[in-house]
Amino acid sequence: MKMYKIALTIAGSDPAGGAGLQADLRTFQRMGVYGLSIPSVLTAQNTEGVSNILDLPVDFFSDQTGTLLKDIRPDALKTGMLYSPDIVEIIAGKIKEFSLENLVIDPVLASSTGAALTKEGLPEAVKKYLFPLSKVITPNINEASVLTGIAIQGETEMKDAAVKLRDYGAETVIVTGGHLQGKAVDLLFDGEEFLTLENERLEGEFHGTGCAFSATVTACLALGYSVKEAFVKANDFTRNAMKTAFSAGRGMKILNI
Ligand code: PXL
């Protein structure tokens, strides 16, 4: 009998499957990891954008998480769009209660089309309650800028932001630089050294790249890879999925995970 490693995603539902919970599950599957999934929030969206967002009742969210974790222990977990600060506190409580390890945080703040995916107080809550419990955080340039107050123009500010983000309690910081001008640079900082991966920019508008990247890191941690190995594999996996992205609807391309 094959024994699967297990990864959990706590993220928003994207019915179009390009981002969020559904993209995370597809990524786990591709990486050969068994996926658990808890929706944090529901979105009404298609490839053209998000039209509505629905919170789950907080007690129900807590119950979903507690019921699952009483039974199954994930080898790694990730959080994506959390939307509400209440949910953030519940997740932090469950991580402590069940002594979960290998937490990857993708601090989702906005959609690729620019729509806000947060309620007031969300960035502060993620910083305060979740960063200190995390193994890796994977903000993109915009998220790293908002979370640190540093206006990131290039690699120098990316490094400054990574250092500051690590001071908030994350063990390792990965800033994904696909949104910068020029080459696409992803940067890892683990408190000792910086590691950068530089690639040619891939032209086009893609949806769900941050989700695919952080889900790959999570799957790799579940499989027992080091964070640096996970970084390289996630960069490679995401770029390949971008190169063969396809159009399912009228809007953004869906990654070929
Ligand atoms: O790409 C960020 C993201 C994450 N999670 C959900 C989303 C989006 C972007 O739209 O809808 C559920």
Side-chain angles (χ1 to χ4, degrees):
M1 192 179 75
K2 185 170 180 204
M3 290 301 291
Y4 279 98
K5 293 292 184 184
I6 299 174
L8 164 66
T9 173
I10 303 176
S13 164
D14 169 4
L21 200 70
Q22 292 83 353
D24 291 344
L25 283 177
R26 290 194 295 129
T27 305
F28 291 163
Q29 180 81 11
R30 264 297 301 279
M31 297 299 294
V33 168
Y34 181 72
L36 308 173
S37 53
I38 298 177
S40 46
V41 61
L42 305 180
T43 70
Q45 76 173 288
N46 58 26
T47 59
E48 295 184 298
V50 178
S51 67
N52 208 343
I53 298 176
L54 180 72
D55 281 286
L56 295 178
V58 170
D59 290 348
F60 182 76
F61 176 79
S62 179
D63 211 17
Q64 282 194 99
T65 312
T67 299
L68 180 67
L69 293 174
K70 261 186 252 170
D71 182 37
I72 310 178
R73 180 180 173 77
D75 299 289
L77 75 158
K78 69 156 275 192
T79 60
M81 174 184 174
L82 300 178
Y83 190 59
S84 125
D86 299 340
I87 299 275
V88 172
E89 281 197 55
I90 291 169
I91 296 169
K94 298 292 181 200
I95 287 171
K96 288 187 208 151
E97 181 183 342
F98 292 96
S99 308
L100 298 182
E101 289 169 6
N102 293 325
L103 168 64
V104 178
I105 301 173
D106 181 14
V108 174
L109 302 180
S111 75
S112 335
T113 48
L117 300 178
T118 57
K119 272 191 180 168
E120 201 177 328
L122 187 278
E124 295 75 19
V126 171
K127 259 200 276 200
K128 179 172 170 193
Y129 296 108
L130 285 181
F131 280 10
L133 303 174
S134 69
K135 178 101 175 170
V136 188
I137 63 170
T138 64
N140 62 29
I141 294 286
N142 298 331
E143 291 154 356
S145 297
V146 170
L147 290 163
T148 60
I150 296 172
I152 301 177
Q153 310 286 349
E155 229 176 291
T156 311
E157 297 90 3
M158 255 173 116
K159 286 184 175 167
D160 293 344
V163 171
K164 197 162 174 184
L165 286 164
R166 199 170 171 280
D167 286 343
Y168 298 142
E171 198 174 301
T172 304
V173 178
I174 296 174
V175 183
T176 56
H179 295 88
L180 273 183
Q181 300 299 317
K183 291 226 174 192
V185 180
D186 292 343
L187 172 85
L188 177 148
F189 180 58
D190 62 1
E192 286 182 5
E193 58 175 347
F194 293 104
L195 194 67
T196 53
L197 295 175
E198 201 174 298
N199 288 290
E200 288 303 321
R201 162 169 309 282
L202 296 171
E203 293 307 328
E205 296 276 324
F206 301 96
H207 181 48
T209 50
C211 301
F213 184 92
S214 56
T216 313
V217 171
T218 311
C220 286
L221 294 184
L223 290 166
Y225 289 105
S226 71
V227 173
K228 284 179 188 163
E229 287 168 329
F231 176 47
V232 175
K233 282 183 183 289
N235 176 282
D236 195 48
F237 179 90
T238 309
R239 287 183 62 78
N240 278 330
M242 288 166 79
K243 281 181 195 160
T244 51
F246 61 98
S247 292
R250 288 182 301 205
M252 293 227 190
K253 284 189 173 172
I254 306 276
L255 296 194
N256 186 13
I257 290 168

